Amino acid sequence: MTKKDTVTIGFMLFALFFGAGNLIYPPQLGTEAGSSYWSAIAGFIITGVGLPILAVTAIAFVNDDAKALGSRVHPWFGLLFTSLIYLAIGPFFAIPRAANVAFETGIKPVVGSAGQGSSALLIFSVIFFALVFWISLNPSKIVDRIGQWLTPILLIAMVALSIASFLTFDAPMQQPTGDYSSTPFFSGFLNGYLTMDAIAGLAFGIIVVTALKERGVTDRKTTIKQTIKAGSVTAIGLIVVYGSIGWMGAKMASMGSYSNGGEILADGANILFGSFGGLLLGTIVALACFTTCIGLTVACSQFFSNTFKSVKYTHVAIVFTLISFGFTNMGLSQIIAYSVPALVFIYPLAIVLIALSFFHRLFNGSKHVYRGALILTSVIAIYDGLKAFLGADQVQAFTNALDFLPLFSEGLGWVVPAIVGALIGGVIEIYTVFAKKKRNVTIKDASYKASS
């Protein structure tokens, strides 16, 4: 491994995470956080950048895929959790979100008022997903090559947009709104869930491990070391992009009312570079979204067709394309809204699983520790998911019963239960090992007496 190899893999991982869909959240955070922006973006970076890199490193620890990591809890958990990850980064959330971002930034600014109705999105999505399905049936290297060109171009466009906004936008930041007015850091932390990059990192990790193996890295220790180095390159790029476009959103808060980050980016490009600049940015983002949707459709279809041998790849691709098409027509704001309950449930489980992988050797990989931590975590995660789905009023009784937990009001009530569950699992493991040794000693004594 040379420094060039490390940088190359770091850029590859950056390209995997740098989906155009993720560009919508930092600007939205900026407009809502206002004068509390820096505290909010710090929390966002922890879950939007730090956790994804840790997730990839966790896969390097097992030197395998996400299913192998989940199987440390139980083989069925490994299968179900990995399936849930692929569904989240595929047809239920990430693909519809990327398609909507392509529409919001690439089509809507061009068609103007005609793009406000649902019919424009419907027509766009029919054409969009017909092409996605057609290419996903026979994914060729041309998609990868287009993606390799688009990612640097998109990054350059984001840098240009950020620099121009720093030089042009001088309006004072507005007062924070919503949860950002009271807990900006933790609100940013929770909004980092929406990038879905931490759970995507569990799926992408095997790509990094494979890339390292192709360069002659096979032993576990070196794999982990090189993954961390490459991840650092990725992290720097993501922090710069998220921080810059988030700041732009904070400065644009006084310029109008925006329903999502896609509108902020499109409007910002028009203000800074005129209609041509906005059109160019929209085209680049739309094409990047298009290649992202193809890649995710292929990855998800391959996973399920390989996992369930009786299911054909083509059939899975058809089903996932239709599901993606259906959710896309709900609109970007609705997709963001309905994804929140699922992500606040999935993320705590993913975080705990990732964290335990770093201490795996400390407790000898005991399944009791994994299970104890995840069982108690899931109790709080289910509550958080129901609260996000039904509303706080509908789960008030559970809120009153659980609000004694540290960090509960900040949305991190699962942290202490996870630790307690792991400790309980550790005690059970110690008891199990002791009981097994005692039983073996008893059997040996009985055998010795019988032989005597």
Side-chain angles (χ1 to χ4, degrees):
M1 283 287 292
T2 64
K3 289 183 178 179
K4 182 180 178 181
D5 290 326
T6 301
V7 173
T8 299
I9 294 175
F11 281 151
M12 177 197 71
L13 187 57
F14 176 87
L16 290 172
F17 284 133
F18 191 50
N22 290 355
L23 295 174
I24 63 178
Y25 296 113
Q28 188 70 38
L29 176 148
T31 59
E32 295 177 4
S35 57
S36 298
Y37 169 70
W38 295 112
S39 177
I41 198 66
F44 183 90
I45 285 172
I46 290 175
T47 46
V49 180
L51 277 179
I53 303 304
L54 291 178
V56 174
T57 307
I59 298 300
F61 269 99
V62 298
N63 207 20
D64 206 331
D65 58 12
K67 191 159 62 173
L69 180 62
S71 294
R72 287 178 168 181
V73 182
H74 190 278
W76 277 108
F77 178 86
L79 175 61
L80 292 173
F81 190 69
T82 308
S83 299
L84 196 59
I85 287 173
Y86 274 99
L87 290 173
I89 65 172
F92 285 98
F93 304 138
I95 294 176
R97 183 181 69 184
N100 265 275
V101 171
F103 176 75
E104 291 278 353
T105 59
I107 305 299
K108 203 171 179 180
V110 176
V111 298
S113 59
Q116 300 301 321
S118 59
S119 58
L121 178 59
L122 177 63
I123 295 170
F124 166 80
S125 58
V126 167
I127 299 171
F128 186 89
F129 282 107
L131 291 172
V132 167
F133 174 69
W134 177 56
I135 297 176
S136 67
L137 289 180
N138 187 25
S140 61
K141 290 185 178 179
I142 190 171
V143 175
D144 294 331
R145 288 170 183 166
I146 292 173
Q148 289 170 3
W149 281 101
L150 279 175
T151 297
I153 293 172
L154 181 58
L155 180 57
I156 292 170
M158 289 299 106
V159 171
L161 190 64
S162 300
I163 292 174
S165 67
F166 272 109
L167 297 175
T168 305
F169 297 150
D170 57 0
M173 291 185 177
Q174 303 295 298
Q175 289 298 311
T177 60
D179 292 336
Y180 289 103
S181 60
S182 56
T183 54
F185 175 82
F186 289 108
S187 296
F189 185 96
L190 294 176
N191 271 285
Y193 289 4
L194 300 179
T195 65
M196 292 189 277
D197 279 347
I199 56 177
L202 294 173
F204 294 156
I206 189 62
I207 299 175
V208 176
V209 171
T210 301
L212 291 172
K213 286 180 179 178
E214 290 173 350
R215 289 164 173 78
V217 178
T218 54
D219 66 287
R220 180 175 171 274
K221 186 176 180 180
T222 307
T223 298
I224 295 169
K225 181 180 178 181
Q226 293 299 333
T227 299
I228 293 173
K229 285 184 176 181
S232 300
V233 174
T234 304
I236 291 170
L238 290 174
I239 289 170
V240 170
V241 172
Y242 287 163
S244 299
I245 61 176
W247 186 92
M248 184 184 75
K251 287 292 185 176
M252 288 182 61
S254 60
M255 298 182 185
S257 178
Y258 305 98
S259 61
N260 56 68
E263 292 183 359
I264 297 171
L265 281 178
D267 194 34
N270 279 321
I271 293 172
L272 294 169
F273 302 121
S275 58
F276 176 77
L279 177 62
L280 181 61
L281 174 66
T283 302
I284 295 169
V285 172
L287 288 173
C289 289
F290 180 64
T291 56
T292 297
C293 289
I294 293 170
L296 290 175
T297 300
V298 171
C300 294
S301 300
Q302 286 178 341
F303 170 77
F304 283 100
S305 60
N306 291 335
T307 302
F308 305 99
K309 302 296 184 182
S310 60
V311 182
K312 292 183 178 180
Y313 171 88
T314 304
H315 295 163
V316 179
I318 291 172
V319 172
F320 283 176
T321 302
L322 291 174
I323 293 173
S324 301
F325 169 78
F327 281 118
T328 295
N329 281 275
M330 293 176 66
L332 184 56
S333 298
Q334 281 293 93
I335 291 171
I336 293 172
Y338 85 74
S339 66
V340 171
L343 293 176
V344 297
F345 167 71
I346 296 172
Y347 251 78
L349 301 179
I351 293 171
V352 172
L353 190 60
I354 292 167
L356 288 175
S357 69
F358 285 88
F359 300 99
H360 182 80
R361 288 190 172 185
L362 185 64
F363 54 86
N364 295 319
S366 168
K367 290 186 180 296
H368 296 297
V369 174
Y370 277 99
R371 291 170 184 173
L374 285 164
I375 287 172
L376 291 192
T377 300
S378 65
V379 173
I380 309 301
I382 290 171
Y383 160 80
D384 286 336
L386 288 174
K387 179 182 176 183
F389 180 70
L390 299 174
D393 293 340
Q394 299 299 317
V395 292
Q396 190 60 48
F398 295 102
T399 302
N400 295 336
L402 297 172
D403 64 1
F404 70 93
L405 292 170
L407 300 176
F408 181 78
S409 60
E410 287 81 9
L412 299 174
W414 51 268
V415 174
V416 172
I419 296 171
V420 172
L423 292 175
I424 293 173
V427 172
I428 294 174
E429 177 67 18
I430 293 171
Y431 174 79
T432 302
V433 171
F434 176 77
K436 185 177 180 180
K437 287 182 178 179
K438 185 176 181 180
R439 185 168 61 252
N440 289 339
V441 169
T442 302
I443 292 172
K444 286 181 180 179
D445 288 344
S447 299
Y448 175 77
K449 291 179 180 178
S451 62
S452 301

